[in-house]
């Protein structure tokens, strides 16, 4: 079970990738053009890997709750994700990128912390 923590760098890369995609689809250029990101559509391969990545990320966060070493980080990641999701559901398109960036920055910080703790422990 402790090897679950070793997946933290992988999900750190995934978080950065999500921020890059968010900027591409919800960025300032898109807002300036007045484009609706829902009409842009992701490529099938990108959508597949993003969906699978999100499902694995959620499963990993839930599994972290079973480890005493990663419980606080797993719970924090889940809470931040749920708060971010609920905020994004209720705000306009122009503010979604701001919420996504703050949410991603907090999750990246938690993942860096988890990586550092795992590095020191192992």
């Amino acid at each position: 079970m402790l090897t679950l923590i070793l997946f933290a760098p992988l999900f750190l890369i995934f978080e950065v990738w999500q921020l890059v995609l968010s900027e591409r689809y919800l960025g300032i250029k898109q807002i300036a053009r007045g484009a609706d990101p829902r009409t842009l559509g992701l490529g099938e391969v990108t959508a597949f890997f993003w969906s699978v990545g999100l499902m694995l990320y959620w499963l990993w966060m839930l599994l972290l709750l079973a480890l005493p070493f990663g419980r606080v980080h797993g719970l924090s990641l889940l809470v931040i994700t749920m708060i971010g999701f609920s905020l994004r559901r209720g705000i306009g398109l122009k503010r979604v990128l701001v919420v996504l960036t703050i949410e991603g920055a907090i999750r990246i910080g938690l993942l860096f912390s988890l990586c550092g703790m795992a590095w020191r422990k192992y």
Side-chain angles (χ1 to χ4, degrees), residues 14-81:
F14 181 70
E15 274 296 333
V16 172
W17 182 56
Q18 283 195 106
L19 285 176
V20 169
L21 281 177
S22 297
E23 171 58 31
R24 179 176 175 200
Y25 285 95
L26 296 169
I28 295 170
K29 291 179 185 176
Q30 299 296 341
I31 292 170
R33 279 194 307 187
D36 187 354
R38 295 169 287 200
T39 61
L40 297 175
L42 289 175
E44 282 187 34
V45 174
T46 305
F48 172 77
F49 283 112
W50 198 351
S51 299
V52 169
L54 285 173
M55 287 186 261
L56 290 173
Y57 195 19
W58 272 90
L59 178 65
W60 181 73
M61 287 188 279
L62 289 171
L63 289 174
L64 278 180
L65 297 176
L67 302 175
F69 181 68
R71 187 170 294 141
V72 172
H73 288 85
L75 183 62
S76 299
L77 286 166
L78 285 168
V79 168
I80 293 299
T81 303

